[in-house]
Amino acid sequence: MSGKVEIGVSGMTCAACVRRVENSLKRGEGVMDASVNLAAESAVVSYDESATTYERLKELVTEAGYTPFDILDLSGEEELERRREEYRKAMRRFLLSAAAAVPVMALSMGHMILGAPLLPHVLEAAVQFALTTYALFGPGLPFITGAWKAFKKREADMNTLIAVGTLSAWLYSTVGALAPELTAVDGSAPPLYFETAAVIVSLILMGRYLEARARGRASDAIARLMSLAPKTARVVRDGVEMDIPAAQARVGDMVIVRPGEAIPVDGVVTEGASAVDESMVTGESIPVEKRPGDTVVGGAVNRAGSLTFRATGVGARTALARIVRMVREAQGSKAPAQKLADLIASYFVPIVMVVAVTTFVAWYDLGPEPRLRLALTAFVAVMIIACPCALGLATPTAIMAGAGRGAQLGALVKNGEALETCAAIDTVILDKTGTITTGKPAVTGVFVSGVDEARLLSLAAAIESRSEHPLAEAVVRYVKERGMAIPPAENFQSATGAGVAGGVEGKKVEAGSARYFAEHGVGLTPVQGDLDAIAQRGETPLVVAVNGDPIGIIAVADTVKEGAADAVARLRAMGVEVIMATGDHERTAKAIASRVGIERINAGARPEDKARLVNDLESQGRRVAMVGDGVNDAPALAAASVGMAIGHGTDIAMETGDITLMSGGVRGAAVALELGRATRRIIRQNLFWAFAYNVILIPVAAGVLYPAWGITLNPMRAALAMAFSSVTVVTNSLRLSRMRITR
């Protein structure tokens, strides 16, 4: 019997860690598949329950060198606290390393700034040694232990690069401070590189601190999703109405929900009628009328009348719980993009170490006197020239510059991986409500029969002003914006979700759906043509009648955002296919799609349908970006290669998405994709130049030019070359800050 389980994995720092855990799990007996997610700190494992156990899977994680924990046993608050503690630890490490690195840098640069050292040479060297040793073996110890784990697995990663670079600089400087005669060149005092080791550790720990803060957002999204469901439920048991914790509700309980309350569990209405806001599940901007026999979902909000329903889904079986579960699974199964720097490091570091050792042996065996000093100097020069500064800066600086430019353009990037992945996107799925459209019903047309438009609007607004329905609010807002007077209404009556009636200026005025008038025996022949035309456009008709005679129709619809059509055309010009996925019915979806130039739609889509669409496209080799603003979009946002949340949308969407679009839905998506492509181009250039410096200068540092021209590269020049490569990378990245991208 096959099973699937999610295991928490702490201690991972890079894509190489992900591969290491995955490989360890996949080699386990009975394991069919394993997918490890760095951001979620979890592994989703499919396994044969007859061949292995959950405890054995945790042992495989431990054997890989990482710490497993029971992620599913943590409550929302416990998971948040675990993330906060991780964040606090990362912040402490960074602050402690910075406290050591700043004075080391000041001491090393003192003679350049002031023209004289701040302390006597011996004391200065001792202070630098003590502070750097603390930074390296205190806050920076995880880099060394990470490199040791990789070494034991016969692998190399960014920890290996960091450890090699910092330990080389520290070791060389320590020898120079304690035994300067071994590394002195031409009788002068040898240079020290303590600041190199200390500053590298501090900068990288700052990156880890920022990364830990970003990782906490995934847990925040889950916790906020869980908080949508009310904590209590009002049930009737044995004829007694009582409030109980929602977690104690049982299938079959009769649940009562009053106006304005959230629905605690899923169920089927048995009594009452109301308009229910289900936008968190369906994305529908207009509340749905509910009557006996209709279903309701937990987390939705009851807008008008009271409802009594029989519970059919409680606890883990509610629609909201399924959304939470889908978000977790999507986050756990979405493997992070493979970092090119890690791939280079896996080959580069072992080669560098072989070259360095070979260099030392060759100089010691074949070189001129003083052989030991020259061999050690050449060895250290090779190690310093291979220091990961430029290689380590190649991606982060481009991401920082790209993210900064994105913020200027209204695209807030949550993590660098998302920005890189944007470059490969070939398909964009757009939610309709709040993304393509404004998400707020508005009057789109007024059609009269026998009266003037002003008279129709004033009568309709008079009775609609007494209603709280979103369609009524749209009519009243439309009339007020035109400065028209709204007469008072008397004897107001409401048929929930269908229509309203009342007395206005001595006449009976009614406004509502065609079904409302059919149920009240009012013929609509005078306005039937307009009624059909409005319905054909996917808009909602609000019929107005006076004393039983229809006098016109007010068309209401969720209007298209300004610039949405141009943005869709922009995406298509980039070679990106645009798809609209919405919970609305097909007629409305087609009407909106035709206005903005979208050819492919997926109507009537619930949260699981949107996530399934994303997964189906990606299984075909497509790279998909999902753009949405509601809780109902959260599973698809998490499942997509890149999730883009609208800035005015729900917190859940923004925290589940990888990018928050503050400048508008479709336009913001086009900006993000263009910025992603530019960032990927800069990253590739940076990696090429960072690697090229090493390829060219490592042989020089090893001494290949010495036999013919007597040229060597001492550690000071190696450090200058390393610094120059870093400056080149940073300068190239800063071009993103000035890149011209139209909003």
Side-chain angles (χ1 to χ4, degrees), residues 12 17 77 100 137-138 219 226 230 238 365 384 470 476 500 503 506 569 575 590 640 667 740:
M12 297 187 296
C17 299
E77 283 300 318
F137 296 96
S219 295
M226 296 172 67
D238 300 325
D365 287 344
I384 289 180
V476 174
V500 294
K590 284 183 176 180
R667 287 187 299 175
R740 294 176 62 87

Side-chain angles (χ1 to χ4, degrees), residues 225 228-229 263 266 277-285 297-301 319-321 323 606-607 630-635 650 652:
L225 275 172
L228 285 176
I263 296 172
D266 295 356
D277 181 0
E278 293 185 336
S279 59
M280 51 77 62
V281 175
T282 66
E284 289 272 11
S285 57
V297 295
V301 178
L320 183 60
I323 292 176
R606 298 179 76 83
V631 174
N632 63 297
D633 300 316
T650 65
I652 312 306

Side-chain angles (χ1 to χ4, degrees), residues 97-153:
S97 66
V102 170
V104 171
M105 177 63 74
L107 289 172
S108 66
M109 302 295 290
H111 68 283
M112 298 177 61
I113 298 173
L114 302 177
L118 296 176
L119 298 173
H121 178 72
V122 175
L123 181 57
E124 179 182 293
V127 172
Q128 289 193 48
F129 167 76
L131 291 174
T132 304
T133 301
Y134 167 74
L136 195 55
F137 296 96
L141 186 60
F143 299 132
I144 299 173
T145 56
W148 177 245
K149 291 177 184 177
F151 176 74
K152 289 195 295 184
K153 295 289 182 179

Side-chain angles (χ1 to χ4, degrees), residues 2 26 143 162 169 182 198 233 275 317 375 384 395 422 464 494 539 573 663 715:
S2 63
K26 289 178 179 178
F143 299 132
I162 296 165
L182 294 179
R317 296 184 179 181
I384 289 180
T395 299
C422 277
E464 294 291 15
S494 174
E539 299 174 347
S663 60

